[in-house]
Amino acid sequence: MQVVAVLIPLGLPGPYDYAVPSDMRLQPGDFVRVPLGPRRVNGVVWGPALGDTPQAKLKSVQNRLDVPPLAAHLRKFIDWVASYVMSPPGLVLRQVMRVPAALEPAKPMTAYRAGPPPERMTAARQRVFDVLAELGAQGLTSADLARQAGVSASVVKTLAEAGHLLAYDLPGHVAFDQPAANAGKTDLSALQKPVAEALTAAVTAQSFSVHLLDGVTGAGKTEVYFEAIAAALESGRQALILLPEISLTAQFLDRFEARFGCQPAMWHSGLGPAERRRTWREVAEDRISVLVGARSALFLPWRDLGVIIVDEEHDGGFKQEDGVIYNARDMAVVRGQFVNCPVILASATPSLESYVNAQQKRYVHHRLPSRHGGAALPDMQLVDMRASPPPRGQWLVPEMVTAVEQAVERGEQALLFLNRRGYAPLTLCRACGHRYACDACDAWMVEHRFRQQLQCHHCGNQRPVPQICDACGEADKLAACGPGVERITEEVIHRFPHARTAILSSDMAGGTAAMRETIQQIAEGAADIIIGTQIVAKGHHFPKLSFVGVVDADLGLGNGDLRAAERTYQLLSQVAGRAGRAAVRGHAMLQTHMPDHPVLQALAAGDRDAFFERETMARQIAAMPPFGRLAALIISARDQQEALNFVRALARQIPPHPEIVVLGPAPAPIARIRDRFRFRFLLKGPKTASMQGFIDQWLAPVKLRGSLRLSVDIDPYSFL
Ligand code: ADP
Ligand code: ZN
């Protein structure tokens, strides 16, 4: 009797043995359906029997699923990730098996195309037709259509019943358009060409290597890595591009199409269930050659990757902070190693980790030091807010207002950047001093004036903006404290009543679709002044933008976490880099209370490498990453005493170790989120120490009872 170990995508300690019926042949990687207690679940044959289940107790595999088996390199990757991030392997496998429908035989589905438009065209109906117009001949299922248009299912149904949408059967598999390596070649500059050649050679060599593509914004990094993709296409292998904020990159997709003749396949949280199923399946069957995706695309069942590209590799969005906690940039490098393909990390402001790896020659360092076509980088000017304060109740200093005015007068665009959503971060009663806090979190409620709500940014709690004070009942005494982007917008509208303004923030009405449209309109010049959060920092190309004003350059510097300086530098130079990407000369102005701060000085001097060198040295002296290692334990419980007792007991059990230091327990900086009380331990050790081994030893005897939860964060990015 054949017995195999099957890994099930649940938080179990490991695979379980199952008997294989005599008429079934199974190989490692096969998808199977197996009994688990009273249930039937899908799993993957992980390898030969473990032999830890007595024969009499063995259950049998029910059937094999008609899905291509998981490649050996992906199974090894899953095991590796599980042991690195200290997660049960089944939960890592679950990242791969996120789309249960993809494991089932394709059901025939009905899709809809646009038909004759109705006479009565409501805004909702118009959105349905807009979505379909964008897709051309290709249609969508009713569920996907309703979701993408942001309308209820009944809108689609009514239109279909009245013959305004035309139904047709979606075949079991609809192929994606195939990008062509040479559909629209770019003539690379003399600086770009050798870099592209090196990357192309690495792809052609079909072996593992890591490349840091390090070039200022506008240098042509995208054009250059497109050549690596072309090389992968030519060798018949797949290319994966990971991007942060994937859903916002219409401009990127258009550029891709110009170069390769069609849009790439996509993978992100905004995909509907049918698209998700189709995409997973097409990847599994090796019929997708290029895909652009968010971090989870790394866990798609790729068969034969030729190159992995991580664009904006420094971006914190690559770190997944819940469930399986991993950094997709780091795991992309590991994946490349198992697959044996090159990995390209691209950024204008690399993470210190990657920068040091390049300095130490573990990564190949490719530099593109100037903008394509000779456009100059924006000059950066610091304004000392202590010397030149804004008028009372306002946030923009006179110099800033003048600069915006001049840009608008020249017919160019100005961008004001403030990394804070909403209207004001705090609401206070001037009569009694009451401050509005979240009931469930240790956090202030943020006013969103456009929506007339107070909202907690940690748990999403909302309430209408109160008219009278909760505490003292006084009317008209509530004051908004501090600015968010909405408040800056108000000031701009007041000062520039004739300018066209646009606001870009992740909580705009209309969601992603509206945001994408706004970005497109800004690029086409439909706004004079743009006010935005960090969303504006990411890769958009606004040809008419010549001025960037940073409303509060100090915002990220105060929190004292390991990467505060690095992140602020990255974010602000990224934002400033939006200015002057085309013909117009860019200019950036930063409002600060600490113009002597080394980060701001480095930004003003435009001396990135000097900043990196100093930051590198500081980390080295402190034995902090990337020269040392960190890990965090986060413990939470519904009851504060319960959490406290537990962390005290944990503290008594810290195993002795010559090199690893345990700091804490300490209440987390946000000590309560969603009504859970939170404590942290921070572990620090040299690069050579096994954090995982140490944590394993420490936590082996630990049992979690009651409402206690514990999570391990290896290489933490967030210290909240
Ligand atoms: P990065 O990714 O480094 O910010 P991009 O690849 O987006 O730079 O290039 C910036 C702009 O310059 C884009 O509009 C791009 O099309 C253009 N560009 C870059 N290189 C070339 C080239 N060799 N020929 C023509 N246009 C180029
Ligand atoms: Zn809250």
Side-chain angles (χ1 to χ4, degrees):
M1 183 179 59
Q2 192 193 0
V3 178
V4 291
V6 173
L7 187 62
I8 294 163
L10 294 171
L12 305 164
Y16 291 146
D17 278 356
Y18 284 89
V20 183
S22 56
D23 58 349
M24 202 187 281
R25 281 284 151 267
L26 289 180
Q27 291 182 6
D30 279 342
F31 284 85
V32 288
R33 198 153 177 82
V34 295
L36 181 73
R39 294 194 286 161
R40 295 273 183 283
V41 294
N42 295 328
V44 174
V45 177
W46 217 244
L50 303 162
D52 55 359
T53 311
Q55 198 129 55
K57 291 185 104 178
L58 272 182
K59 295 191 180 158
S60 290
V61 172
Q62 189 186 319
N63 57 289
R64 188 181 157 285
L65 306 177
D66 187 17
V67 184
L70 273 197
H73 58 71
L74 179 49
R75 283 179 279 127
K76 284 189 202 145
F77 175 67
I78 290 170
D79 279 333
W80 192 95
V81 173
S83 86
Y84 187 79
V85 306
M86 305 192 72
S87 159
L91 291 186
V92 181
L93 176 63
R94 193 156 79 178
Q95 309 289 312
V96 177
M97 293 174 64
R98 274 280 175 77
V99 195
L103 303 179
E104 271 143 41
K107 290 193 206 85
M109 275 188 293
T110 306
Y112 293 92
R113 280 196 260 269
E119 270 175 25
R120 207 176 66 78
M121 187 59 98
T122 60
R125 288 175 167 188
Q126 188 61 52
R127 286 206 298 280
V128 170
F129 278 84
D130 288 349
V131 166
L132 288 174
E134 211 169 288
L135 290 173
Q138 184 201 343
L140 279 176
T141 63
S142 58
D144 285 357
L145 183 53
R147 211 188 35 76
Q148 285 196 20
V151 303
S152 70
S154 66
V155 173
V156 174
K157 190 156 167 259
T158 315
L159 285 171
E161 282 169 359
H164 301 303
L165 297 178
L166 308 178
Y168 65 102
D169 283 338
L170 212 54
H173 118 82
V174 188
F176 282 84
D177 291 340
Q178 291 302 318
N182 291 311
K185 228 167 162 50
T186 316
D187 285 322
L188 295 181
S189 70
L191 279 174
Q192 294 166 341
K193 208 172 263 168
V195 179
E197 276 163 10
L199 296 179
T200 314
V203 174
T204 311
Q206 301 204 358
S207 64
F208 172 68
S209 52
V210 188
H211 303 261
L212 179 60
L213 181 51
D214 174 1
V216 296
T217 50
K221 297 184 291 299
T222 315
E223 299 294 340
V224 167
Y225 73 62
F226 275 176
E227 296 308 306
I229 294 172
L233 284 171
E234 269 166 355
S235 63
R237 303 172 98 204
Q238 299 95 50
L240 167 62
I241 310 162
L242 297 181
L243 283 179
E245 303 283 347
I246 170 67
S247 44
L248 297 173
T249 50
Q251 289 176 334
F252 178 89
L253 300 177
D254 291 344
R255 279 180 69 186
F256 186 93
E257 184 165 356
R259 175 68 181 78
F260 294 106
C262 69
Q263 301 251 320
M266 286 198 275
W267 187 260
H268 55 86
S269 58
L271 284 189
E275 268 309 280
R276 193 165 279 275
R277 182 198 182 279
R278 171 182 174 228
T279 309
W280 195 96
R281 194 76 196 199
E282 294 291 291
V283 169
E285 313 230 359
D286 211 352
R287 285 195 291 252
I288 285 183
S289 43
V290 185
L291 179 140
V292 188
R295 60 186 181 223
S296 59
L298 193 60
F299 288 95
L300 283 169
W302 297 105
R303 310 208 70 76
D304 195 14
L305 277 172
V307 63
I308 305 175
I309 295 152
V310 184
D311 202 351
E312 312 281 2
E313 66 91 30
H314 61 277
D315 197 284
F318 285 119
K319 182 81 195 271
Q320 173 153 309
E321 295 284 2
D322 49 27
V324 178
I325 301 176
Y326 67 91
N327 186 325
R329 184 237 305 150
D330 298 343
M331 294 307 119
V333 171
V334 176
R335 183 105 206 234
Q337 210 159 2
F338 280 111
V339 172
N340 211 15
C341 76
V343 178
I344 301 172
L345 309 177
S347 177
T349 50
S351 62
L352 206 71
E353 278 83 356
S354 298
Y355 183 79
V356 169
N357 275 320
Q359 294 282 301
Q360 297 177 345
K361 308 263 188 276
R362 270 193 297 272
Y363 294 177
V364 188
H365 201 166
H366 307 279
R367 284 179 184 264
L368 290 172
S370 59
R371 283 185 162 179
H372 179 74
L377 281 170
D379 59 350
M380 303 250 204
Q381 180 191 346
L382 303 178
V383 202
D384 187 345
M385 291 186 84
R386 296 165 307 183
S388 170
R392 221 181 128 70
Q394 302 193 343
W395 313 97
L396 304 177
V397 303
E399 291 94 321
M400 185 74 97
V401 175
T402 307
V404 170
E405 196 168 16
Q406 287 171 348
V408 174
E409 268 170 15
R410 286 192 303 265
E412 297 159 4
Q413 289 175 319
L415 165 70
L416 292 172
F417 170 77
L418 176 62
N419 201 12
R420 204 189 267 140
R421 294 187 283 137
Y423 185 83
L426 171 68
T427 302
L428 171 96
C429 173
R430 271 176 286 139
C432 74
H434 178 66
R435 295 161 172 228
Y436 281 78
C438 177
D439 294 335
C441 311
D442 281 346
W444 306 123
M445 297 290 275
V446 178
E447 181 181 350
H448 288 254
R449 190 159 286 190
F450 297 171
R451 279 194 269 126
Q452 304 247 306
Q453 276 177 326
L454 298 184
Q455 191 192 54
C456 170
H457 284 181
H458 296 283
C459 72
N461 245 345
Q462 295 184 352
R463 56 174 290 180
V465 174
Q467 301 303 318
I468 57 168
C469 174
D470 279 8
C472 70
E474 286 268 356
D476 300 326
K477 286 282 188 264
L478 296 178
C481 304
V485 276
E486 291 181 2
R487 197 168 199 174
I488 300 301
T489 307
E490 186 183 79
E491 184 172 336
V492 166
I493 291 172
H494 172 75
R495 296 232 192 194
F496 303 97
H498 302 299
R500 296 164 303 166
T501 56
I503 181 167
L504 263 182
S505 162
S506 61
D507 53 3
M508 299 171 56
T512 306
M515 203 147 41
R516 198 186 272 194
E517 202 171 303
T518 308
I519 290 171
Q520 193 64 36
Q521 286 170 355
I522 295 170
E524 286 162 8
D528 303 311
I529 307 173
I530 302 125
I531 302 97
T533 60
Q534 54 159 346
I535 289 195
V536 299
K538 307 236 164 96
H540 310 299
H541 183 51
F542 301 137
K544 289 181 71 184
L545 184 70
S546 67
F547 175 75
V548 170
V550 175
V551 176
D552 185 353
D554 311 337
L555 198 56
L557 290 172
N559 64 11
D561 95 32
L562 167 68
R563 294 184 181 81
E566 180 191 343
R567 275 202 189 124
T568 303
Y569 189 90
Q570 285 157 347
L571 184 60
L572 296 186
S573 51
Q574 205 85 23
V575 176
R578 297 304 109 211
R581 286 185 35 113
V584 286
R585 173 79 206 252
H587 177 55
M589 189 181 283
L590 284 64
Q591 296 190 167
T592 173
H593 287 96
M594 24 186 198
D596 298 327
H597 193 289
V599 170
L600 298 176
Q601 284 294 323
L603 279 165
D607 197 351
R608 194 201 74 175
D609 283 1
F611 169 73
F612 274 14
E613 289 304 331
R614 211 188 28 246
E615 191 64 16
T616 303
M617 193 118 74
R619 298 265 186 101
Q620 196 159 15
I621 290 166
M624 282 299 210
F627 301 97
R629 306 188 59 195
L630 292 181
L633 299 192
I634 302 107
I635 292 107
S636 71
R638 290 230 161 264
D639 180 69
Q640 189 168 21
Q641 197 58 44
E642 186 185 8
L644 196 58
N645 292 344
F646 180 75
V647 294
R648 284 190 180 140
L650 261 189
R652 285 191 294 272
Q653 295 168 23
I654 298 172
H657 194 284
E659 293 171 319
I660 295 175
V661 182
V662 179
L663 308 166
I670 302 175
R672 189 176 50 120
I673 294 182
R674 289 175 203 273
D675 263 330
R676 300 186 63 86
F677 292 87
R678 308 168 68 243
F679 290 84
R680 297 178 61 104
F681 288 95
L682 185 66
L683 288 65
K684 184 168 175 259
K687 270 205 93 111
T688 47
S690 166
M691 283 289 178
Q692 288 88 348
F694 176 80
I695 295 171
D696 257 339
Q697 191 191 349
W698 185 9
L699 299 183
V702 170
K703 290 263 178 307
L704 290 174
R705 292 197 184 81
S707 68
L708 283 166
R709 269 189 232 151
L710 187 159
S711 59
V712 178
D713 186 356
I714 302 287
D715 310 328
Y717 266 63
S718 164
F719 296 85
L720 292 181

